[in-house]
Amino acid sequence: MAITHYWRVFMTFLRNSLVRDMTFRWNFIINSISSLSWVFMNLGFYILIFHQIGSHGELAPQSGWRQYEFFVFLSTTLLINSIVQTFFMPNAEEFSELIRRGGLDFALVKPIDTQFLISLYEVDWSSLANFVFGLCLLSYSLYRLDYHPGWFQVVAYPFYVICGVVILYSLMIALASTSIWLGRNQSLYNFWFYLTNFSRYPMEIYRGPVGDWLRRIFTFLVPVLVVVNVPARLLAKPLEPEHWWLMLYALAATVGSFALGRWIFLKALDSYRSASS
Amino acid sequence: MAVIEVRNLSKTYRVYQKSEGLWAAFRGLFRRRWREVHAVRGISFEVEQGEFVAFLGPNGAGKTTTLKLLSGVITPTSGEARVLGHVPWRRENAYRRRFALVMGQKNQLWWDLPALESFRLHQHIYRIPPGEYERTRDELAEMLGVRELLGRPVRELSLGERMKMELMAALLHKPEVLFLDEPTIGLDVVAQHTIQNFLREYQRQRRLTILLTSHYMKDVAALCQRVIVIAQGRIVHDGSLEGIVERFGRSKILTVQLADGQSSRDFHRYGKVVECQPPRVKLRVPRQGVPELVAAILQNHAVEDVSVEDPPLEEVIAEMFSCVQQQTSQESPSPVSTSSA
């Protein structure tokens, strides 16, 4: 009952956003083109690098990521980011405004989970262009790889993509919630981008005295490194025993991040003051 | 049993006190001056099922804060409240399904979409069965006269039309308690009138409990049997609108229609002449001395007609507010505390 209730509400969010996006179709088209061109520029940059080092060369020495393996990684980044951008980004941006201008009042009086309501209220369909492109790049890269992933990997991949989305979302909602205490926090929202930047590269490149610390921080403290690394490695490389613990850890990190994000969100709601009318 | 019970409810905000100037702003980075604002100070009241109650008070008196506390949007500093048996700030879904909040200055409909789409969202959030939803929607659209506007994007509607849509959205789930915060603010007279009529009719039909805040005395006079006056966070009057005039009106308006050829020159000795258009004179006189004054005027002048009226309600209320404000500011200057943070 509860699940169908939330599903119906979610479907209405999807529908309303789609109607809106179709009303402003040029805005929709331009958004899609601009985010796609950003992706192409990135892809072009990596093609250039692999052109220099050869497709059997590795992204960083001894990192173990050759061209099409890395492109699996890159398309995983694209898939995860585009899901976050489609469903959560417009809402996290709006959340700070809702707090500043008191619009959260309406969300708080609705008989539905407030976090669900404010997290999924708007959907940015144009960001799905990146998702489609990510799927294409992923298929092509898998086709070019000599290695064929087994059924377990094919099943676990989407699961860990969703885990990655949950981690990034939890980080985002936790940062956005702080605007209830701070009144305004555009900078913290930018901070999310800085942090997630670390998730865009394979773990192996974080080496040496500084790299080791970065890897520990972004694996255990703010687990953004497992976001793309776990699903990408699962699909692009043969399973090795040492990866099992990483997969288990990623699961724990997902549950932990979500619980912590929700806790911060609920704490923040208790301190909500509501802008005077 | 009362639908709304409030006991000793208080809400105190701590606000950062900004000082003027660049240097002060820089010092504010390290050492902040905080001021405590007592938005609501220990108010108590009860509202029975089916009552239509108005909250009156000057800006910043605590009206909106009270509504926000009762709808669970904010948590009180101390005190208790129960609405329909629920503690509002626990935000239980069982409670949230049974009331609605409308704010004249905030908008909850999707801006770029027809109101109809927002209504459908409400249908799903409140789990209204399809048949019932359509019936209620059409009924409300009929009553408010907005049937043909339902399909137009909200951003293309006038302020009055938008307010009607906001009301519709709030009433789709048939709430038992309705909180209205300045529902007619900024509207023209015609739209104000339509909304007043609608609210009166709807309340009469469904006997729901309504709490309304408004600056327009006309709203209050047209709709509410009971008025709670709140000033500086305290309740200063709880009763009928006429009761306010009885209690706080210090003067009466005396209109004297003089017989032909009578001079109106020396009327200022009876009281303050408000208007002098011979043969008619309007005086403001103290409330207590009215019979004696009328007798004296009748004795000294040839008079055709005399009428005694209360001054306009707005005037009495304004007088009351300034009187209450003086009292409370003498009692307790608002405390300023300094702390580092």
Side-chain angles (χ1 to χ4, degrees):
Chain A
M1 186 64 188
I3 289 177
T4 54
H5 176 213
Y6 280 84
W7 180 250
R8 281 213 190 98
V9 174
F10 179 57
M11 280 304 167
T12 318
F13 290 153
L14 292 184
R15 188 179 172 281
N16 283 1
S17 302
L18 191 63
V19 172
R20 183 204 49 196
D21 283 356
M22 288 194 298
T23 317
F24 303 103
R25 59 187 173 151
W26 277 107
N27 187 54
F28 178 81
I29 292 167
I30 289 168
N31 273 352
S32 307
I33 293 175
S34 81
S35 59
L36 267 180
S37 54
W38 187 81
V39 170
F40 284 134
M41 280 185 261
N42 257 288
L43 185 64
F45 170 74
Y46 287 115
I47 289 176
L48 212 67
I49 290 180
F50 282 107
H51 184 72
Q52 303 276 324
I53 59 180
S55 66
H56 284 281
E58 292 168 351
L59 183 64
Q62 281 109 50
S63 75
W65 290 86
R66 285 174 300 192
Q67 180 163 2
Y68 287 103
E69 288 164 354
F70 182 71
F71 282 1
V72 169
F73 190 96
L74 194 63
S75 34
T76 308
T77 310
L78 264 178
L79 293 180
I80 291 175
N81 278 345
S82 64
I83 294 174
V84 172
Q85 276 166 18
T86 305
F87 295 105
F88 304 114
M89 201 101 95
N91 297 293
E93 272 172 55
E94 188 63 26
F95 189 41
S96 165
E97 273 302 284
L98 283 181
I99 291 160
R100 209 166 59 80
R101 301 214 293 227
L104 190 57
D105 296 3
F106 288 119
L108 286 170
V109 301
K110 297 283 182 300
I112 197 163
D113 186 80
T114 309
Q115 186 177 357
F116 168 83
L117 188 64
I118 65 106
S119 296
L120 291 164
Y121 193 72
E122 274 182 65
V123 179
D124 176 15
W125 285 95
S126 62
S127 296
L128 275 189
N130 284 3
F131 185 83
V132 175
F133 180 74
L135 279 183
C136 296
L137 183 64
L138 181 68
S139 315
Y140 181 70
S141 309
L142 283 177
Y143 161 75
R144 292 292 302 261
L145 277 178
D146 302 333
Y147 161 73
H148 294 280
W151 67 267
F152 170 76
Q153 285 149 294
V154 174
V155 172
Y157 179 76
F159 176 77
Y160 276 102
V161 164
I162 291 169
C163 287
V165 170
V166 171
I167 292 176
L168 290 188
Y169 157 74
S170 305
L171 189 61
M172 190 184 261
I173 200 77
L175 287 176
S177 300
T178 55
S179 41
I180 282 186
W181 294 295
L182 302 176
R184 183 164 201 163
N185 77 340
Q186 213 51 52
S187 54
L188 266 179
Y189 183 65
N190 293 339
F191 193 57
W192 182 84
F193 278 96
Y194 306 150
L195 281 178
T196 55
N197 235 345
F198 286 95
S199 71
R200 291 170 195 275
Y201 308 101
M203 274 176 145
E204 287 85 349
I205 71 164
Y206 298 98
R207 271 184 310 196
V210 178
D212 279 340
W213 275 109
L214 282 177
R215 200 182 65 238
R216 281 177 205 136
I217 289 172
F218 291 113
T219 306
F220 298 109
L221 202 61
V222 188
V224 289
L225 263 183
V226 300
V227 168
V228 183
N229 270 280
V230 174
R233 173 181 310 270
L234 202 65
L235 206 57
K237 289 172 174 292
L239 280 175
E240 284 165 36
E242 60 178 293
H243 296 144
W244 284 104
W245 83 262
L246 199 63
M247 281 166 60
L248 274 178
Y249 174 74
L251 203 60
T254 307
V255 175
S257 304
F258 186 77
L260 190 67
R262 184 164 175 83
W263 183 77
I264 293 174
F265 178 80
L266 292 177
K267 276 276 158 228
L269 284 192
D270 283 340
S271 316
Y272 177 56
R273 305 163 51 138
S274 175
S276 66
S277 54
Chain B
M1 207 190 81
V3 168
I4 303 174
E5 296 167 277
V6 176
R7 215 163 303 132
N8 281 325
L9 199 62
S10 296
K11 178 71 184 176
T12 306
Y13 290 109
R14 215 164 70 114
V15 292
Y16 164 42
Q17 200 163 26
K18 293 189 191 79
S19 311
E20 234 174 279
L22 185 62
W23 174 238
F26 179 71
R27 266 187 322 190
L29 284 175
F30 305 99
R31 196 173 158 73
R32 299 220 140 173
R33 277 166 66 81
W34 295 93
R35 192 163 57 91
E36 297 216 313
V37 176
H38 302 279
V40 172
R41 313 183 193 211
I43 58 167
S44 304
F45 62 90
E46 284 188 4
V47 178
E48 297 294 329
Q49 201 269 324
E51 275 194 279
F52 201 142
V53 181
F55 267 108
L56 279 183
N59 285 333
K63 301 174 302 237
T64 305
T65 306
T66 309
L67 285 199
K68 283 178 182 168
L69 284 165
L70 293 181
S71 49
V73 168
I74 51 175
T75 324
T77 315
S78 66
E80 290 168 45
R82 270 173 193 279
V83 184
L84 298 162
H86 296 272
V87 175
W89 44 92
R90 284 202 195 133
R91 297 178 190 147
E92 293 154 311
N93 285 345
Y95 172 51
R96 297 195 286 193
R97 262 194 285 278
R98 293 172 70 188
F99 80 95
L101 170 70
V102 176
M103 289 183 275
Q105 293 180 332
K106 289 175 192 167
N107 148 56
Q108 68 162 330
L109 304 172
W110 279 60
W111 190 246
D112 295 315
L113 296 184
L116 207 51
E117 308 288 351
S118 294
F119 295 164
R120 197 167 290 133
L121 181 62
H122 275 72
Q123 182 206 339
H124 292 307
I125 289 179
Y126 286 96
R127 304 197 215 190
I128 311 167
E132 191 187 321
Y133 160 74
E134 275 157 34
R135 219 172 21 251
T136 316
R137 182 196 63 198
D138 294 346
E139 230 173 74
L140 288 168
E142 198 62 51
M143 280 178 87
L144 282 160
V146 290
R147 195 180 265 282
E148 66 286 358
L149 298 175
L150 294 180
R152 205 180 287 175
V154 170
R155 73 187 130 81
E156 288 173 16
L157 300 177
S158 73
L159 189 61
E161 291 164 344
R162 211 158 70 220
M163 198 56 227
K164 290 176 194 169
M165 298 299 182
E166 291 280 342
L167 272 171
M168 266 188 81
L171 295 173
L172 283 172
H173 64 286
K174 299 188 178 154
E176 292 158 65
V177 174
L178 179 61
F179 300 118
L180 294 167
D181 190 25
E182 308 271 0
T184 55
I185 198 156
L187 302 188
D188 63 53
V189 187
V190 181
Q192 268 181 42
H193 202 69
T194 327
I195 287 182
Q196 278 170 16
N197 282 343
F198 167 77
L199 286 172
R200 191 188 307 113
E201 187 55 27
Y202 189 79
Q203 204 268 346
R204 196 184 59 76
Q205 280 176 16
R206 294 197 34 89
R207 303 294 304 156
L208 76 169
T209 312
I210 305 184
L211 239 62
L212 163 113
T213 75
S214 181
H215 274 112
Y216 297 111
M217 222 47 70
K218 292 219 172 71
D219 280 355
V220 178
L223 297 169
C224 307
Q225 305 91 6
R226 179 178 162 198
V227 176
I228 296 177
V229 180
I230 186 165
Q232 308 226 319
R234 291 204 177 93
I235 291 178
V236 292
H237 174 85
D238 184 349
S240 67
L241 204 52
E242 296 78 47
I244 294 179
V245 182
E246 294 275 306
R247 217 174 121 187
F248 294 94
R250 293 184 198 149
S251 50
K252 287 259 183 191
I253 302 291
L254 204 66
T255 312
V256 183
Q257 184 87 26
L258 293 166
D260 286 343
Q262 284 286 318
S263 158
S264 58
R265 251 185 305 149
D266 52 352
F267 265 78
H268 51 259
R269 64 188 159 117
Y270 302 114
K272 191 169 179 247
V273 178
V274 188
E275 201 184 295
C276 183
Q277 284 174 327
R280 205 170 52 141
V281 188
K282 238 183 199 181
L283 293 168
R284 177 189 289 277
V285 298
R287 214 180 159 81
Q288 305 88 347
V290 175
E292 292 82 3
L293 269 175
V294 174
I297 291 170
L298 288 175
Q299 205 170 23
N300 299 337
H301 306 268
V303 173
E304 239 168 41
D305 192 20
V306 179
S307 69
V308 184
E309 289 164 299
D310 284 315
L313 198 54
E314 268 93 347
E315 226 170 79
V316 179
I317 304 264
E319 215 170 80
M320 175 185 68
F321 285 168
S322 66
C323 152
V324 169
Q325 231 142 7
Q326 274 167 14
Q327 274 175 17
T328 41
S329 62
Q330 278 164 10
E331 271 170 38
S332 58
S334 72
V336 175
S337 57
T338 310
S339 65
S340 305

